[in-house]
Amino acid sequence: MQKSWSAGFSPGSPVSLVKSLGILRRGLGDPTIKLSETEAWLAFATPEGPATLHISMPQRHGPADFQAWGSGGSWAIERAPLLLGAEDDWSDFDEQVCSGAFPEIVVRTRAEHPDLVLPKTGRIFEHAIGAILEQRVTGIEANYAWRWLIRNLGHPAPGPVPDGLRIFPSAQELAQVQRWDWQTARVEGKRAETIRKFVQVSGALDWWADKPLNEPRPTAKAPGTLEAAMGSVPGIGPWTIAETLQRSHGSADHISVGDFHLADFVGQVLTGRRMTDQQMLALMAPYAPHRQRVVRLLGLSGQKKQSFGPRYAPLDHRQR
């Protein structure tokens, strides 16, 4: 029997596992996470080794029970409350709701979904790779590549876990992936090259894993933040940075500028018309430092972006 760690946590406010942790899942077939309304299984690498974390939360208004396995189990248990919003403070946002600072649809959706929290994982590497895989391709293509890498290069999750639960491969393992493997995974040369460049610097980025989001590293060139360090990697821009920091640090303000759908969706819901990224940023500026909270709530509002024309087709990467 493998050694396990256990702990309990009372969030103090309702938490929906699906709404809150769903941002960590890359497609319904993601081998690193299994999620339901009452429990979550997560498998991931930690600085102390692989870990599996099980979260049991039978009621959204009740306490959560944690259990972890693997050499990284202690690390996982210690930080598990961060996944349920232990450092996600909505008090300032809610005060602004009461003062009329947000549109009616945001106010209504916040009242209907008080169980949304922004999770903080402290895991920069896997979230960045997942975001790079999603650059300029369909979700179908990105999720296929994510699953291929995990199933072919990842590792079984430790402990008595559900079938198929696996851990994302390490930077060292991704560094060994050959061009033909990337092609098999349906990843063309540009994204593969960005991943290779990110792998080379990923170890240095771990310094920020347990630091506040904007804390500067003393030895780094100004401004010395994680955002600046990521942006110095060729092929990584604001969209990839935002998608990473939303997960690794639970950023309440980073929005995914450059997303194929987001600006049109936000514009349509808040103004009734589509808009550019720059127009979206101008529209959302008064909502800082809670712009990502607003985006997440709009996503739960029930509104949908209008669709025009055929869907973007998956690409053939065999010759790319």
Side-chain angles (χ1 to χ4, degrees):
M1 180 70 71
Q2 294 192 39
K3 181 180 180 180
S4 66
W5 291 260
S6 60
F9 175 65
S10 295
S13 59
V15 176
S16 165
L17 294 179
V18 171
K19 295 174 192 174
S20 303
L21 300 185
I23 193 175
L24 306 180
R25 181 169 58 184
R26 298 190 182 277
L28 295 178
D30 186 344
T32 68
I33 180 171
K34 295 185 181 297
L35 192 58
S36 74
E37 294 290 348
T38 59
E39 66 174 351
W41 290 89
L42 302 97
F44 47 86
T46 80
E48 299 174 4
T52 297
L53 175 67
H54 178 242
I55 303 174
S56 176
M57 198 170 186
Q59 298 181 343
R60 298 183 184 189
H61 291 78
D65 292 320
F66 304 133
Q67 191 169 11
W69 298 265
S71 54
S74 176
W75 188 98
I77 283 288
E78 180 181 349
R79 291 158 179 79
L82 300 178
L83 297 173
L84 302 185
E87 293 185 358
D88 182 31
D89 185 0
W90 285 72
S91 58
D92 180 66
F93 181 92
D94 290 334
E95 288 178 8
Q96 293 190 45
V97 166
C98 294
S99 68
F102 296 107
E104 186 277 333
I105 191 171
V106 175
V107 176
R108 172 176 58 79
T109 307
R110 172 61 175 159
E112 293 174 348
H113 300 277
D115 49 2
L116 170 68
V117 300
L118 306 184
K120 176 181 178 180
T121 70
R123 307 193 308 269
I124 300 168
F125 176 73
E126 67 179 84
H127 299 315
I129 298 300
I132 294 169
L133 291 174
E134 292 183 353
Q135 292 177 351
R136 297 177 295 277
V137 297
T138 66
I140 294 173
E141 291 291 280
N143 293 339
Y144 177 90
W146 177 257
R147 294 193 301 268
W148 190 95
L149 291 173
I150 295 167
R151 290 171 178 166
N152 289 274
L153 302 173
H155 307 276
V161 301
D163 290 343
L165 195 69
R166 295 179 67 83
I167 292 174
F168 191 77
S170 67
Q172 293 76 16
E173 289 162 329
L174 286 188
Q176 304 303 314
V177 178
Q178 302 297 314
R179 176 185 175 185
W180 50 86
D181 292 322
W182 288 119
Q183 290 174 336
T184 304
R186 301 180 187 173
V187 178
E188 88 294 341
K190 188 170 184 178
R191 282 182 296 154
E193 182 62 21
T194 300
I195 289 175
R196 283 193 288 268
K197 291 175 180 176
F198 184 80
V199 162
Q200 294 172 359
V201 303
S202 60
L205 300 182
D206 289 340
W207 184 89
W208 283 278
D210 60 352
K211 303 292 190 302
L213 184 56
N214 294 316
E215 181 167 334
R217 186 172 183 174
T219 59
K221 182 179 179 181
T225 62
L226 173 58
E227 182 172 0
M230 290 187 64
S232 69
V233 180
I236 292 184
W239 183 89
T240 302
I241 293 170
E243 289 285 313
T244 301
L245 302 186
Q246 290 162 13
R247 294 162 173 82
S248 66
H249 286 72
S251 174
D253 198 49
H254 279 86
I255 52 178
S256 303
V257 177
D259 189 273
F260 187 72
H261 301 285
L262 185 61
D264 285 339
F265 171 70
V266 170
Q268 181 178 302
V269 174
L270 295 183
T271 70
R273 59 182 177 82
R274 296 187 169 206
M275 57 179 50
T276 65
D277 282 327
Q278 293 306 312
Q279 290 171 326
M280 177 185 67
L281 288 174
L283 177 66
M284 298 284 285
Y287 309 142
H290 301 293
R291 294 178 299 171
Q292 176 61 10
R293 298 192 198 279
V294 172
V295 169
R296 294 293 303 280
L297 288 171
L298 292 180
L300 292 172
S301 68
Q303 298 293 314
K304 302 293 183 183
K305 183 173 78 75
Q306 292 177 322
S307 298
F308 300 94
R311 296 182 65 182
Y312 185 64
L315 301 174
D316 184 346
H317 300 298
R318 288 173 293 182
Q319 303 300 322
R320 305 182 72 196

